Amino acid sequence: MEIITSLEQLHSFAAPCVVALGTFDGLHRGHLDVIGTAKQEAEHTGAKLAVFTFSNHPLEWINPAHVPVALVTPAVKLQLLESLGVDVLIDIPFNQLVADLLPQQFLERLSALNYSCLVVGENFTYGQRGVGNVYTLAASAQAMGFKLIVRKLVSNNGTIVSSTEIRRLITAGEVQQAAKMLGRSYSISGIVAHGNERGRLLGYPTANLELVDAYVAIPLGGVYAVRAYVDGGVYGGMANIGKNPTFGDVEKPRLETNIFGFSGDIYGKTLTIEFVQRIRGEVKFAGIDALKAQLAQDKLDCLKFL
């Protein structure tokens, strides 16, 4: 997959491009529908599949105080797009240069790709202050001679799939519903850090990820059935998000995962946790015996969903 990181790097290819346009900040089912449609068109016409998006959220430039937390890290976003068969990724920063482009100027810049077709969602906007929309785009398509495909917004049980709604579901602990909108389980990745090793003493050793600088949506505190990806393997597990109120010595929330059937040393390694189902909220127990009894029940409950 070729990656273009600035407008100046845009260039034409031997074959025309079909370009999927969008912020694609979550790569949820709505985004996947736009990209999948563009892929079908590219395959049908013998064109290259290009995705045009931004390496940062536009609000970082327009209104930094209201930038939403991410649903996918840049690294995972690249992996997902490559797995979708994208030939060319235009992943440029949204900055003043981009913000000042009028709709027609944006299309003229994009024309360096020699695109034959653009694919967008019906709520797509572009150009200075977002004044361009699917109607102005349709007029430009007719005038400039390219094909335009506008996709209807995707719904899940009557609710429009959107990054905003997915964030709400995740922060409410409704990870199963979030997965239905994402088209995959929500996940968090990080480097395994040393903890206080209390889980080992309780009989449930954990791999710990700090969440303070995660910059992604954090599920509601509590216990979750999860899948853990580490060292090339996939394991079931149970994870807790919170501050360990029974002991009261953790200042900031962390993600602690007991990985079923795994005993290797993974300190300093990358661990990815996929959230399958929230089992219960975080509870302050009267003592260690009560906590151990609950952990045993939590494991049984998690196994039901794995």
Side-chain angles (χ1 to χ4, degrees):
M1 180 172 70
E2 180 177 347
I3 301 175
I4 295 173
T5 57
S6 71
L7 290 175
E8 291 72 24
Q9 292 176 346
L10 293 177
H11 61 92
S12 60
F13 300 89
C17 283
V18 175
V19 186
L21 293 168
T23 304
F24 303 136
D25 57 335
L27 283 182
H28 55 58
R29 285 177 52 211
H31 298 151
L32 297 178
D33 175 77
V34 171
I35 296 171
T37 300
K39 181 178 182 179
Q40 291 178 352
E41 178 70 15
E43 291 175 344
H44 178 69
T45 59
K48 285 185 174 291
L49 170 60
V51 169
F52 184 102
T53 187
F54 299 114
S55 57
N56 59 329
H57 197 286
L59 283 178
E60 282 188 22
W61 191 265
I62 299 169
N63 192 349
H66 291 84
V67 177
V69 291
L71 293 175
V72 61
T73 64
V76 172
K77 187 175 183 178
L78 289 179
Q79 292 173 4
L80 288 171
L81 288 170
E82 191 160 24
S83 72
L84 293 173
V86 175
D87 297 307
V88 184
L89 171 62
I90 302 95
D91 191 37
I92 67 170
F94 188 93
N95 53 27
Q96 197 63 52
L97 172 63
V98 177
D100 286 343
L101 290 174
L102 297 173
Q104 187 59 32
Q105 291 175 322
F106 171 77
L107 293 178
E108 289 170 357
R109 284 294 194 107
L110 199 63
S111 65
L113 287 173
N114 185 29
Y115 58 85
S116 59
C117 176
L118 299 182
V119 184
V120 299
E122 62 181 339
N123 62 347
F124 177 73
T125 61
Y126 64 108
Q128 192 177 71
R129 295 186 178 87
V131 295
N133 54 35
V134 294
Y135 301 106
T136 61
L137 196 55
S140 293
Q142 187 171 14
M144 297 173 68
F146 63 85
K147 183 177 180 179
L148 173 65
I149 300 176
V150 179
R151 299 295 294 172
K152 289 186 176 297
L153 301 182
V154 175
S155 297
N156 181 66
N157 292 329
T159 301
I160 297 295
V161 172
S162 70
S163 297
T164 299
E165 177 61 13
I166 293 169
R167 289 186 190 97
R168 186 194 70 78
L169 290 169
I170 290 169
T171 56
E174 299 179 44
V175 293
Q176 255 191 341
Q177 291 302 314
K180 291 178 181 178
M181 289 199 167
L182 278 169
R184 64 186 183 278
S185 295
Y186 181 68
S187 66
I188 292 178
S189 297
I191 303 298
V192 178
H194 285 275
N196 50 30
E197 298 190 357
R198 188 177 290 121
R200 190 178 305 278
L201 297 176
L202 294 171
Y204 297 91
T206 60
N208 304 320
L209 299 181
E210 299 295 340
L211 299 176
V212 177
D213 297 322
Y215 302 113
V216 293
I218 306 301
L220 181 66
V223 176
Y224 291 82
V226 300
R227 283 184 291 270
Y229 293 76
V230 63
D231 269 354
V234 185
Y235 305 84
M238 62 177 177
N240 181 76
I241 293 178
K243 299 181 180 181
N244 291 332
T246 301
F247 300 96
D249 58 355
V250 178
E251 294 183 1
K252 299 174 181 178
R254 62 173 54 150
L255 172 58
E256 301 175 298
T257 305
N258 174 239
I259 306 174
F260 302 156
F262 183 85
S263 58
D265 181 0
I266 54 174
Y267 289 123
K269 295 185 179 181
T270 299
L271 172 66
T272 297
I273 299 299
E274 279 187 355
F275 296 90
V276 177
Q277 174 66 40
R278 188 170 187 257
I279 302 301
R280 62 171 174 84
E282 198 168 33
V283 177
K284 181 176 182 179
F285 294 95
I288 291 180
D289 288 341
L291 173 57
K292 290 175 70 174
Q294 183 60 57
L295 289 173
Q297 183 59 52
D298 290 342
K299 183 172 183 178
L300 292 175
D301 292 338
C302 287
L303 287 170
K304 294 176 185 177
F305 291 98
L306 297 171

